[in-house]
Amino acid sequence: MLETLTAEIIAIGSELLAPDRTDTNSLWLTEKLNSIGIEVKLKTIVGDDDARLEEAIKDAARRSKIVITTGGLGPTEDDVTRKVAARALGRRLSLDETILEELRQRFLSFGYPMPERNSRQAMVIEDAEVLPNPNGSAPGMFIEHHGVAIVLLPGPPREMKPMFENHVQPKLVRRAGAVKVLRRMLRVAGLGESAVDEKIAPIYTQYENPQTTILFNQSEIEIHLTARGRTELEANALLDHLSEKLEERLGNSVFSFAGETMEQVVGLKLSVGGYTLAVAESCTGGLIAQRLTDVSGSSKYFIEGVVAYSNEAKTRTLDVKPKLLLKHGAVSAEVAEAMAVGIRKRAGTDFGLSVTGIAGPGGGSEAKPVGLVYIALADEVQTKSRKLQIPGDRQLVRWRASQAALDLLRRRLI
Amino acid sequence: MLETLTAEIIAIGSELLAPDRTDTNSLWLTEKLNSIGIEVKLKTIVGDDDARLEEAIKDAARRSKIVITTGGLGPTEDDVTRKVAARALGRRLSLDETILEELRQRFLSFGYPMPERNSRQAMVIEDAEVLPNPNGSAPGMFIEHHGVAIVLLPGPPREMKPMFENHVQPKLVRRAGAVKVLRRMLRVAGLGESAVDEKIAPIYTQYENPQTTILFNQSEIEIHLTARGRTELEANALLDHLSEKLEERLGNSVFSFAGETMEQVVGLKLSVGGYTLAVAESCTGGLIAQRLTDVSGSSKYFIEGVVAYSNEAKTRTLDVKPKLLLKHGAVSAEVAEAMAVGIRKRAGTDFGLSVTGIAGPGGGSEAKPVGLVYIALADEVQTKSRKLQIPGDRQLVRWRASQAALDLLRRRLI
């Protein structure tokens, strides 16, 4: 295995320890670091707590070659990063007159004098390189400390990201040297979790590089490949080699090769073929239309959607005959097909796609349990439907039904 | 300030250090711990890396009274938590024949013999209490270590959550003793960020307990209150007192008091009033219908939705006159109102709600820029519309437009 530089990320701020908050800066930083061959080995999330933060910085500097902190550089009492980092590294902290003057000017340019408390943002750690922050008042710092790079970045993403890209990344690239880490993700639809693993485990277990991880999302199976190479070319070739083998084994079930969503893939196929689409939804309640129109430019192929929640709406707007509803019930292959035909006729499109089902938690019966869903696709020549029995709660049933319907269309467009 | 017990959470698994993964177990655990008066002071995310994990466990046990790890209890080589925790705590690890036999039985009940590698899941740390796992093969452990509770939980949420609730929470409640931490969230719509802060900062800054944090989400402003009390009653009274003051100041703009979403609030009001609703969407593309029908039981009041993306669909299905489209353009107050009237008539509902706008990134002009949105609400008596200019990207414009439309209906229903 090629040796890679290792980094740690410390996210600072008590708000990041609340049950409804998650640190997203570190995800962005991880991607950036990986792309230049640096691996993140540990992440710490710590509150505005002097003692714990000091320890976290000391420990990280001992273990890893690169330590990046985010947050705690603001002007208030809670913003302790500067002070604590100085203490952890055993360096003095002193006021930088140049920065202070810049801060004053910044505030004046907004039309008011700098509040006194902001002067603490001009405190600089001994021998640190100051990283300018055109998007906020908190400058960052880059400190060389016994062969370890300590980087202090502000917390707000719109300040942190450009600072990293413009001032930190170039320095780290020089340090990272030879090894490149590249990732690729394949997305799979229409196959169960164990079916996927059974098919591809005999292949991917033969490779240490790329590494393969299989993740089970709400309705998609993601195959993550991570390759290391001396060059991007080499890492890419390793990814190509393995992903081709996996694709060959999984066939049409792989719908995405570079992180595209199902709705993007379907939209591209419609667009390229010059086809138009209309959608009739019952249990998915607009989710399919919403996913399709989430893609910019979708107005080219997405013409109309109807959410026919009630039987009356199915008859009124989709021309589903009351007799059919009475005979088979709203959740049936027959009604799904009639909905697909009805919306296609109404909108005058190439394709009509429909879903009807029981999302739950109420509305199920022994004959038609929660999770029973029919999807149908109508084109000029024929109408096809599929029956699904989807496990999971309301959100999951709706999501998986929308995914299966879009996948039905995708396979038709191949 | 009342003293609270402190906890640390260590999430274990190399996959948690990828740029597209975040540790959600710790959010759930934080909420549970907070609810019984325990504060989370630090979180660590570490890969399947013996040395770093050992250090993380040692450090945590030194700093905090409660240490909870998640993950790394599986049957593979990568699952190092048992082994490393034993080493970090200086305790022996030995095979527990009872657990081994249970594992064997578990596999037999599925119809096949236990794979040999699963036997490592029967290894138990000296003097640990074994926590049963009815939902998976990895038992958890609870270890009393020099006054610190060390808890090892499995990573999969459906195994981790019931194990915590049934076997860990009761033990921690006894330990936590007197202090209770309660949280409450108010959600605000129809007011800008700075307007909210300007209104309520003079109030909330007077209180140390509850603590107030304002978060700006994509379209909602959330006011988080955290109170500490010797009893739940006391903490609740503190929350009631401050939240009443804030609500008084913010009036109708506060739409949610206990975490309900806008669609839940609107759904409840429709349900209670016995009203029915139909929705006509252009730029939101089904998002409003999807949000409304995300609420279980929504079929009672949500009758029909139409996604009229093209002008033809607006005329065909919503009876918007071509002359009107020609004269004012699809994105206009007149067309929004005609859409609301049209869908209300088609569906025969009490209310018709509509949105038309330019979500971007394409389609904007100087006269009608990206982010220009009209929303309209029709009832038996009148039709009202509102013009919005929404900053942000496509997703944000769509989300905020859907929120503003739902809020228009909410205010009508008050």
Side-chain angles (χ1 to χ4, degrees), chain A residues 339-372:
Chain A
M339 288 170 69
V341 170
I343 189 66
R344 181 177 173 273
K345 204 187 272 175
R346 161 170 288 277
T349 48
D350 296 310
F351 296 103
L353 185 64
S354 74
V355 181
T356 178
I358 302 156
S365 66
E366 206 164 313
K368 298 193 172 178
V370 167
L372 177 67

PDB file of all heavy atoms in Angstrom, chain A residues 339-372:
ATOM      1  N   MET A 339     -54.032   4.895 -15.145  1.00  0.00           N
ATOM      2  CA  MET A 339     -53.468   6.212 -14.783  1.00  0.00           C
ATOM      3  C   MET A 339     -52.355   6.610 -15.754  1.00  0.00           C
ATOM      4  O   MET A 339     -52.264   7.767 -16.185  1.00  0.00           O
ATOM      5  CB  MET A 339     -52.921   6.175 -13.342  1.00  0.00           C
ATOM      6  CG  MET A 339     -53.982   6.125 -12.245  1.00  0.00           C
ATOM      7  SD  MET A 339     -53.257   5.777 -10.594  1.00  0.00           S
ATOM      8  CE  MET A 339     -52.351   7.300 -10.278  1.00  0.00           C
ATOM      9  N   ALA A 340     -51.500   5.645 -16.081  1.00  0.00           N
ATOM     10  CA  ALA A 340     -50.381   5.938 -16.996  1.00  0.00           C
ATOM     11  C   ALA A 340     -50.907   6.315 -18.378  1.00  0.00           C
ATOM     12  O   ALA A 340     -50.434   7.274 -19.001  1.00  0.00           O
ATOM     13  CB  ALA A 340     -49.438   4.729 -17.078  1.00  0.00           C
ATOM     14  N   VAL A 341     -51.904   5.556 -18.831  1.00  0.00           N
ATOM     15  CA  VAL A 341     -52.497   5.849 -20.128  1.00  0.00           C
ATOM     16  C   VAL A 341     -53.195   7.217 -20.086  1.00  0.00           C
ATOM     17  O   VAL A 341     -53.061   8.036 -21.003  1.00  0.00           O
ATOM     18  CB  VAL A 341     -53.509   4.740 -20.516  1.00  0.00           C
ATOM     19  CG1 VAL A 341     -54.332   5.148 -21.740  1.00  0.00           C
ATOM     20  CG2 VAL A 341     -52.771   3.427 -20.784  1.00  0.00           C
ATOM     21  N   GLY A 342     -53.917   7.470 -18.979  1.00  0.00           N
ATOM     22  CA  GLY A 342     -54.685   8.716 -18.842  1.00  0.00           C
ATOM     23  C   GLY A 342     -53.815   9.957 -18.836  1.00  0.00           C
ATOM     24  O   GLY A 342     -54.110  10.939 -19.527  1.00  0.00           O
ATOM     25  N   ILE A 343     -52.725   9.924 -18.104  1.00  0.00           N
ATOM     26  CA  ILE A 343     -51.877  11.132 -18.035  1.00  0.00           C
ATOM     27  C   ILE A 343     -51.132  11.330 -19.353  1.00  0.00           C
ATOM     28  O   ILE A 343     -50.919  12.459 -19.787  1.00  0.00           O
ATOM     29  CB  ILE A 343     -50.894  11.086 -16.839  1.00  0.00           C
ATOM     30  CG1 ILE A 343     -50.185  12.432 -16.665  1.00  0.00           C
ATOM     31  CG2 ILE A 343     -49.828  10.003 -16.998  1.00  0.00           C
ATOM     32  CD1 ILE A 343     -51.091  13.565 -16.276  1.00  0.00           C
ATOM     33  N   ARG A 344     -50.775  10.206 -20.011  1.00  0.00           N
ATOM     34  CA  ARG A 344     -50.091  10.308 -21.294  1.00  0.00           C
ATOM     35  C   ARG A 344     -50.998  10.972 -22.318  1.00  0.00           C
ATOM     36  O   ARG A 344     -50.576  11.850 -23.075  1.00  0.00           O
ATOM     37  CB  ARG A 344     -49.666   8.913 -21.772  1.00  0.00           C
ATOM     38  CG  ARG A 344     -48.925   8.938 -23.089  1.00  0.00           C
ATOM     39  CD  ARG A 344     -48.432   7.581 -23.527  1.00  0.00           C
ATOM     40  NE  ARG A 344     -47.903   7.726 -24.876  1.00  0.00           N
ATOM     41  CZ  ARG A 344     -48.625   7.630 -25.985  1.00  0.00           C
ATOM     42  NH1 ARG A 344     -49.914   7.336 -25.903  1.00  0.00           N
ATOM     43  NH2 ARG A 344     -48.067   7.818 -27.161  1.00  0.00           N
ATOM     44  N   LYS A 345     -52.285  10.559 -22.299  1.00  0.00           N
ATOM     45  CA  LYS A 345     -53.240  11.114 -23.249  1.00  0.00           C
ATOM     46  C   LYS A 345     -53.485  12.596 -22.942  1.00  0.00           C
ATOM     47  O   LYS A 345     -53.465  13.446 -23.827  1.00  0.00           O
ATOM     48  CB  LYS A 345     -54.545  10.323 -23.175  1.00  0.00           C
ATOM     49  CG  LYS A 345     -55.355  10.412 -24.476  1.00  0.00           C
ATOM     50  CD  LYS A 345     -56.717   9.771 -24.318  1.00  0.00           C
ATOM     51  CE  LYS A 345     -56.701   8.285 -24.629  1.00  0.00           C
ATOM     52  NZ  LYS A 345     -58.020   7.661 -24.347  1.00  0.00           N
ATOM     53  N   ARG A 346     -53.712  12.896 -21.642  1.00  0.00           N
ATOM     54  CA  ARG A 346     -53.983  14.278 -21.262  1.00  0.00           C
ATOM     55  C   ARG A 346     -52.858  15.210 -21.702  1.00  0.00           C
ATOM     56  O   ARG A 346     -53.097  16.280 -22.257  1.00  0.00           O
ATOM     57  CB  ARG A 346     -54.173  14.379 -19.740  1.00  0.00           C
ATOM     58  CG  ARG A 346     -54.008  15.794 -19.171  1.00  0.00           C
ATOM     59  CD  ARG A 346     -54.435  15.899 -17.722  1.00  0.00           C
ATOM     60  NE  ARG A 346     -55.881  15.813 -17.599  1.00  0.00           N
ATOM     61  CZ  ARG A 346     -56.720  16.832 -17.771  1.00  0.00           C
ATOM     62  NH1 ARG A 346     -56.254  18.032 -18.068  1.00  0.00           N
ATOM     63  NH2 ARG A 346     -58.002  16.672 -17.641  1.00  0.00           N
ATOM     64  N   ALA A 347     -51.609  14.801 -21.429  1.00  0.00           N
ATOM     65  CA  ALA A 347     -50.477  15.707 -21.668  1.00  0.00           C
ATOM     66  C   ALA A 347     -49.929  15.587 -23.089  1.00  0.00           C
ATOM     67  O   ALA A 347     -49.111  16.412 -23.507  1.00  0.00           O
ATOM     68  CB  ALA A 347     -49.374  15.434 -20.648  1.00  0.00           C
ATOM     69  N   GLY A 348     -50.347  14.552 -23.808  1.00  0.00           N
ATOM     70  CA  GLY A 348     -49.851  14.368 -25.176  1.00  0.00           C
ATOM     71  C   GLY A 348     -48.352  14.104 -25.227  1.00  0.00           C
ATOM     72  O   GLY A 348     -47.639  14.611 -26.082  1.00  0.00           O
ATOM     73  N   THR A 349     -47.865  13.280 -24.288  1.00  0.00           N
ATOM     74  CA  THR A 349     -46.423  13.034 -24.185  1.00  0.00           C
ATOM     75  C   THR A 349     -46.056  11.665 -24.750  1.00  0.00           C
ATOM     76  O   THR A 349     -46.920  10.835 -25.005  1.00  0.00           O
ATOM     77  CB  THR A 349     -45.970  13.085 -22.711  1.00  0.00           C
ATOM     78  OG1 THR A 349     -46.877  12.286 -21.937  1.00  0.00           O
ATOM     79  CG2 THR A 349     -45.989  14.499 -22.192  1.00  0.00           C
ATOM     80  N   ASP A 350     -44.771  11.436 -24.919  1.00  0.00           N
ATOM     81  CA  ASP A 350     -44.310  10.126 -25.368  1.00  0.00           C
ATOM     82  C   ASP A 350     -44.549   9.068 -24.299  1.00  0.00           C
ATOM     83  O   ASP A 350     -44.938   7.954 -24.594  1.00  0.00           O
ATOM     84  CB  ASP A 350     -42.809  10.187 -25.703  1.00  0.00           C
ATOM     85  CG  ASP A 350     -42.535  11.124 -26.871  1.00  0.00           C
ATOM     86  OD1 ASP A 350     -43.205  10.978 -27.900  1.00  0.00           O
ATOM     87  OD2 ASP A 350     -41.672  12.018 -26.727  1.00  0.00           O
ATOM     88  N   PHE A 351     -44.283   9.436 -23.050  1.00  0.00           N
ATOM     89  CA  PHE A 351     -44.432   8.477 -21.960  1.00  0.00           C
ATOM     90  C   PHE A 351     -45.400   8.980 -20.889  1.00  0.00           C
ATOM     91  O   PHE A 351     -45.468  10.186 -20.612  1.00  0.00           O
ATOM     92  CB  PHE A 351     -43.080   8.205 -21.283  1.00  0.00           C
ATOM     93  CG  PHE A 351     -42.084   7.547 -22.188  1.00  0.00           C
ATOM     94  CD1 PHE A 351     -41.052   8.278 -22.748  1.00  0.00           C
ATOM     95  CD2 PHE A 351     -42.176   6.195 -22.485  1.00  0.00           C
ATOM     96  CE1 PHE A 351     -40.130   7.687 -23.583  1.00  0.00           C
ATOM     97  CE2 PHE A 351     -41.265   5.589 -23.325  1.00  0.00           C
ATOM     98  CZ  PHE A 351     -40.239   6.329 -23.877  1.00  0.00           C
ATOM     99  N   GLY A 352     -46.129   8.048 -20.317  1.00  0.00           N
ATOM    100  CA  GLY A 352     -46.931   8.322 -19.124  1.00  0.00           C
ATOM    101  C   GLY A 352     -46.485   7.362 -18.040  1.00  0.00           C
ATOM    102  O   GLY A 352     -46.428   6.149 -18.255  1.00  0.00           O
ATOM    103  N   LEU A 353     -46.122   7.906 -16.883  1.00  0.00           N
ATOM    104  CA  LEU A 353     -45.602   7.074 -15.787  1.00  0.00           C
ATOM    105  C   LEU A 353     -46.542   7.218 -14.598  1.00  0.00           C
ATOM    106  O   LEU A 353     -46.982   8.338 -14.298  1.00  0.00           O
ATOM    107  CB  LEU A 353     -44.190   7.561 -15.425  1.00  0.00           C
ATOM    108  CG  LEU A 353     -43.390   6.778 -14.391  1.00  0.00           C
ATOM    109  CD1 LEU A 353     -43.074   5.375 -14.883  1.00  0.00           C
ATOM    110  CD2 LEU A 353     -42.091   7.517 -14.057  1.00  0.00           C
ATOM    111  N   SER A 354     -46.866   6.133 -13.916  1.00  0.00           N
ATOM    112  CA  SER A 354     -47.821   6.244 -12.812  1.00  0.00           C
ATOM    113  C   SER A 354     -47.432   5.383 -11.619  1.00  0.00           C
ATOM    114  O   SER A 354     -46.679   4.412 -11.744  1.00  0.00           O
ATOM    115  CB  SER A 354     -49.213   5.839 -13.274  1.00  0.00           C
ATOM    116  OG  SER A 354     -49.268   4.435 -13.421  1.00  0.00           O
ATOM    117  N   VAL A 355     -47.955   5.765 -10.457  1.00  0.00           N
ATOM    118  CA  VAL A 355     -47.769   5.004  -9.214  1.00  0.00           C
ATOM    119  C   VAL A 355     -49.065   5.025  -8.435  1.00  0.00           C
ATOM    120  O   VAL A 355     -49.686   6.083  -8.292  1.00  0.00           O
ATOM    121  CB  VAL A 355     -46.691   5.650  -8.308  1.00  0.00           C
ATOM    122  CG1 VAL A 355     -46.511   4.810  -7.051  1.00  0.00           C
ATOM    123  CG2 VAL A 355     -45.375   5.786  -9.026  1.00  0.00           C
ATOM    124  N   THR A 356     -49.457   3.900  -7.918  1.00  0.00           N
ATOM    125  CA  THR A 356     -50.548   3.857  -6.942  1.00  0.00           C
ATOM    126  C   THR A 356     -50.184   2.812  -5.898  1.00  0.00           C
ATOM    127  O   THR A 356     -49.625   1.764  -6.231  1.00  0.00           O
ATOM    128  CB  THR A 356     -51.907   3.551  -7.610  1.00  0.00           C
ATOM    129  OG1 THR A 356     -52.911   3.478  -6.583  1.00  0.00           O
ATOM    130  CG2 THR A 356     -51.895   2.227  -8.372  1.00  0.00           C
ATOM    131  N   GLY A 357     -50.448   3.119  -4.642  1.00  0.00           N
ATOM    132  CA  GLY A 357     -50.054   2.176  -3.604  1.00  0.00           C
ATOM    133  C   GLY A 357     -50.496   2.624  -2.229  1.00  0.00           C
ATOM    134  O   GLY A 357     -51.190   3.632  -2.081  1.00  0.00           O
ATOM    135  N   ILE A 358     -50.077   1.870  -1.239  1.00  0.00           N
ATOM    136  CA  ILE A 358     -50.452   2.169   0.151  1.00  0.00           C
ATOM    137  C   ILE A 358     -49.180   2.482   0.929  1.00  0.00           C
ATOM    138  O   ILE A 358     -48.396   1.588   1.249  1.00  0.00           O
ATOM    139  CB  ILE A 358     -51.195   0.973   0.778  1.00  0.00           C
ATOM    140  CG1 ILE A 358     -52.439   0.662  -0.070  1.00  0.00           C
ATOM    141  CG2 ILE A 358     -51.597   1.269   2.211  1.00  0.00           C
ATOM    142  CD1 ILE A 358     -52.928  -0.756   0.064  1.00  0.00           C
ATOM    143  N   ALA A 359     -48.968   3.770   1.208  1.00  0.00           N
ATOM    144  CA  ALA A 359     -47.732   4.199   1.852  1.00  0.00           C
ATOM    145  C   ALA A 359     -47.766   3.976   3.357  1.00  0.00           C
ATOM    146  O   ALA A 359     -46.729   3.918   4.004  1.00  0.00           O
ATOM    147  CB  ALA A 359     -47.464   5.669   1.548  1.00  0.00           C
ATOM    148  N   GLY A 360     -48.975   3.850   3.926  1.00  0.00           N
ATOM    149  CA  GLY A 360     -49.121   3.641   5.359  1.00  0.00           C
ATOM    150  C   GLY A 360     -48.963   4.932   6.146  1.00  0.00           C
ATOM    151  O   GLY A 360     -48.807   5.991   5.545  1.00  0.00           O
ATOM    152  N   PRO A 361     -48.973   4.924   7.460  1.00  0.00           N
ATOM    153  CA  PRO A 361     -49.136   3.710   8.264  1.00  0.00           C
ATOM    154  C   PRO A 361     -50.572   3.160   8.215  1.00  0.00           C
ATOM    155  O   PRO A 361     -50.750   1.976   8.421  1.00  0.00           O
ATOM    156  CB  PRO A 361     -48.771   4.170   9.685  1.00  0.00           C
ATOM    157  CG  PRO A 361     -49.008   5.641   9.682  1.00  0.00           C
ATOM    158  CD  PRO A 361     -48.762   6.107   8.291  1.00  0.00           C
ATOM    159  N   GLY A 362     -51.577   3.998   7.907  1.00  0.00           N
ATOM    160  CA  GLY A 362     -52.947   3.483   7.824  1.00  0.00           C
ATOM    161  C   GLY A 362     -53.244   2.972   6.430  1.00  0.00           C
ATOM    162  O   GLY A 362     -52.421   3.043   5.532  1.00  0.00           O
ATOM    163  N   GLY A 363     -54.471   2.452   6.230  1.00  0.00           N
ATOM    164  CA  GLY A 363     -54.954   2.136   4.890  1.00  0.00           C
ATOM    165  C   GLY A 363     -54.648   0.744   4.392  1.00  0.00           C
ATOM    166  O   GLY A 363     -55.070   0.377   3.299  1.00  0.00           O
ATOM    167  N   GLY A 364     -53.907  -0.040   5.164  1.00  0.00           N
ATOM    168  CA  GLY A 364     -53.578  -1.387   4.708  1.00  0.00           C
ATOM    169  C   GLY A 364     -54.646  -2.407   5.090  1.00  0.00           C
ATOM    170  O   GLY A 364     -55.461  -2.153   5.981  1.00  0.00           O
ATOM    171  N   SER A 365     -54.662  -3.535   4.406  1.00  0.00           N
ATOM    172  CA  SER A 365     -55.571  -4.632   4.754  1.00  0.00           C
ATOM    173  C   SER A 365     -54.809  -5.932   4.514  1.00  0.00           C
ATOM    174  O   SER A 365     -53.679  -5.907   4.029  1.00  0.00           O
ATOM    175  CB  SER A 365     -56.822  -4.593   3.883  1.00  0.00           C
ATOM    176  OG  SER A 365     -56.467  -4.858   2.532  1.00  0.00           O
ATOM    177  N   GLU A 366     -55.443  -7.052   4.829  1.00  0.00           N
ATOM    178  CA  GLU A 366     -54.748  -8.320   4.630  1.00  0.00           C
ATOM    179  C   GLU A 366     -54.479  -8.547   3.145  1.00  0.00           C
ATOM    180  O   GLU A 366     -53.375  -8.926   2.753  1.00  0.00           O
ATOM    181  CB  GLU A 366     -55.571  -9.465   5.208  1.00  0.00           C
ATOM    182  CG  GLU A 366     -54.702 -10.649   5.613  1.00  0.00           C
ATOM    183  CD  GLU A 366     -55.462 -11.592   6.529  1.00  0.00           C
ATOM    184  OE1 GLU A 366     -56.100 -11.092   7.499  1.00  0.00           O
ATOM    185  OE2 GLU A 366     -55.437 -12.799   6.267  1.00  0.00           O
ATOM    186  N   ALA A 367     -55.475  -8.240   2.337  1.00  0.00           N
ATOM    187  CA  ALA A 367     -55.326  -8.451   0.893  1.00  0.00           C
ATOM    188  C   ALA A 367     -54.379  -7.424   0.283  1.00  0.00           C
ATOM    189  O   ALA A 367     -53.612  -7.730  -0.624  1.00  0.00           O
ATOM    190  CB  ALA A 367     -56.688  -8.370   0.214  1.00  0.00           C
ATOM    191  N   LYS A 368     -54.458  -6.195   0.777  1.00  0.00           N
ATOM    192  CA  LYS A 368     -53.605  -5.124   0.258  1.00  0.00           C
ATOM    193  C   LYS A 368     -52.874  -4.444   1.399  1.00  0.00           C
ATOM    194  O   LYS A 368     -53.291  -3.425   1.921  1.00  0.00           O
ATOM    195  CB  LYS A 368     -54.457  -4.114  -0.529  1.00  0.00           C
ATOM    196  CG  LYS A 368     -55.128  -4.765  -1.740  1.00  0.00           C
ATOM    197  CD  LYS A 368     -55.709  -3.761  -2.709  1.00  0.00           C
ATOM    198  CE  LYS A 368     -56.180  -4.491  -3.967  1.00  0.00           C
ATOM    199  NZ  LYS A 368     -56.793  -3.598  -4.950  1.00  0.00           N
ATOM    200  N   PRO A 369     -51.729  -5.029   1.799  1.00  0.00           N
ATOM    201  CA  PRO A 369     -51.010  -4.515   2.971  1.00  0.00           C
ATOM    202  C   PRO A 369     -50.268  -3.210   2.671  1.00  0.00           C
ATOM    203  O   PRO A 369     -50.049  -2.867   1.505  1.00  0.00           O
ATOM    204  CB  PRO A 369     -50.008  -5.636   3.268  1.00  0.00           C
ATOM    205  CG  PRO A 369     -49.788  -6.303   1.956  1.00  0.00           C
ATOM    206  CD  PRO A 369     -51.073  -6.189   1.191  1.00  0.00           C
ATOM    207  N   VAL A 370     -49.903  -2.490   3.741  1.00  0.00           N
ATOM    208  CA  VAL A 370     -49.048  -1.309   3.611  1.00  0.00           C
ATOM    209  C   VAL A 370     -47.778  -1.710   2.855  1.00  0.00           C
ATOM    210  O   VAL A 370     -47.190  -2.755   3.114  1.00  0.00           O
ATOM    211  CB  VAL A 370     -48.686  -0.742   5.003  1.00  0.00           C
ATOM    212  CG1 VAL A 370     -47.557   0.273   4.901  1.00  0.00           C
ATOM    213  CG2 VAL A 370     -49.911  -0.099   5.654  1.00  0.00           C
ATOM    214  N   GLY A 371     -47.379  -0.879   1.914  1.00  0.00           N
ATOM    215  CA  GLY A 371     -46.175  -1.173   1.134  1.00  0.00           C
ATOM    216  C   GLY A 371     -46.487  -1.780  -0.224  1.00  0.00           C
ATOM    217  O   GLY A 371     -45.599  -1.883  -1.069  1.00  0.00           O
ATOM    218  N   LEU A 372     -47.761  -2.150  -0.435  1.00  0.00           N
ATOM    219  CA  LEU A 372     -48.138  -2.667  -1.759  1.00  0.00           C
ATOM    220  C   LEU A 372     -48.216  -1.498  -2.736  1.00  0.00           C
ATOM    221  O   LEU A 372     -48.916  -0.513  -2.490  1.00  0.00           O
ATOM    222  CB  LEU A 372     -49.499  -3.373  -1.701  1.00  0.00           C
ATOM    223  CG  LEU A 372     -50.031  -3.884  -3.052  1.00  0.00           C
ATOM    224  CD1 LEU A 372     -49.162  -5.023  -3.607  1.00  0.00           C
ATOM    225  CD2 LEU A 372     -51.483  -4.348  -2.937  1.00  0.00           C
TER     226      LEU A 372
END
